[in-house]
Amino acid sequence: MEMMAEPHGALKGRARVPGDKSISHRALMLAALAVGESRIEGLLEGEDVLATARALRALGVALVRDAPGVWRVHGVGTGGLAEPEEVLDLGNAGTAARLLLGILAGHGFTSFLSGDASLRRRPMGRVVRPLREMGAQILCRSGERLPLAITGRFRLLPIVWRSEVASAQVKSAILLAGLHAPGKTTVIEPLPSRDHTERMLRGMGASVAVEALPEGGQAISIEGEIELSPQSFTVPADPSSAFFPAVAAAVTPGSEILLEEVCLNPTRTGAYEVLAAMGAEITVVDRRELAGEPVGTLRVRGDALKAVDVPAERAPSMIDEYPALFVAAACARGKSRFRGLAELRVKESDRLAKMAEGLAACGVRCAIEGDDLWIEGGPVRGGAEIDAALDHRIAMSFLVLGGLARLPVRVRGAETIATSFPGFADLMNGLGARIRPLEASA
Ligand code: S3P
């Protein structure tokens, strides 16, 4: 499907973006491992999370959808999943693939995992290696990619694993495997990554300890072989999804929008801090807690933004927001520099290359230097046609840019937006954007 975004004026209004993707995946998976029935409201019903739901069903878990976003999950207990008859097709969802591998490592049967062309390109070695060390057998395609086969085992070996990348997916896979091992399993990460797994596990009765290390980084440990208690909660709105309207409003002087119940976990808010440093006025209206996470309504007021220099250490707290932040930088006055972006190359697409190519096609001066990207901001011409490359965030970023440029921007393959943000165009248009599907050409 092709979509087009046309230039818009100031954005106004209030909206709640769909539930957080990371929390939604974890809510389903951890509920499946609890003993008894969990009830989740506000679940993101995007393609990625539905892939997790389908996989859990194939593994013998009963999931009932009572109403839009309202799901009940009958947990089978850790180690209680059943061998799936079919290949588990995880579509576009890296989080589903990597976290499920952690769970499957602790089950003594064989599963086959695959996904779409984007997921089949993504590196799995970062989770495969520690899970092998814990005792799972995993056979992958060259480059340790999907499709792969995993034969887990009942009672894994607890390990101490030092991850080279600050990745919440790696950390979570090891912690979930650690649930199926006696004693203490530890994962060391070089910088703090999102901690939803740790929060949720604690809320369900697990003992999870975090220790800051003198040499930098942190060690996260879990005590295994415990019973998780079921939970009822509401999933907060996704700060990564909310960042698209936030950018559109921030760069348009005169805009004022309210984004409700956004997850404000400090491991997720780095990009909002950068946008504020660029000159946007961002305030939190009512701060409270939801599902063990800090949430709040964000008020974003637009202004003329200025360039920014973002150091590599900020990356984990804003990893999914870079594409939209690059759009803000393209519209800001001056030369912005974003450092240490290697991880962007292994997301749903090579986001570093795709964003630089697309921005250049829209008339923006920018260049990749090593793992850094610089962008010379100013009025943007637009007027390009961009291929989403099976990457929802590439699609949404360029549709946001189309609203801010002089000429419309078209995005091919925009159906990929449904992986994380169903209703994106309607929500944006409700605030004053002008995004619409184009008729399929005959
Ligand atoms: C996620 C972690 C991040 C992020 C992804 C979701 C998660 O990936 O990019 O969209 O839910 O744990 P990495 O762990 O690979 O950095």
Side-chain angles (χ1 to χ4, degrees), residues 80 195 208 228 272:
D195 64 354
V208 181
L228 294 177
Y272 288 92

Side-chain angles (χ1 to χ4, degrees), residues 21-22 26 95 98 126 166-169 194 319-320 343 347:
K21 180 155 74 74
S22 294
R26 287 160 172 79
T95 308
R98 296 196 176 115
R126 50 181 64 192
S167 160
Q169 294 179 356
R194 64 191 67 188
I319 193 68
D320 292 336
E343 275 297 298
K347 293 296 175 189

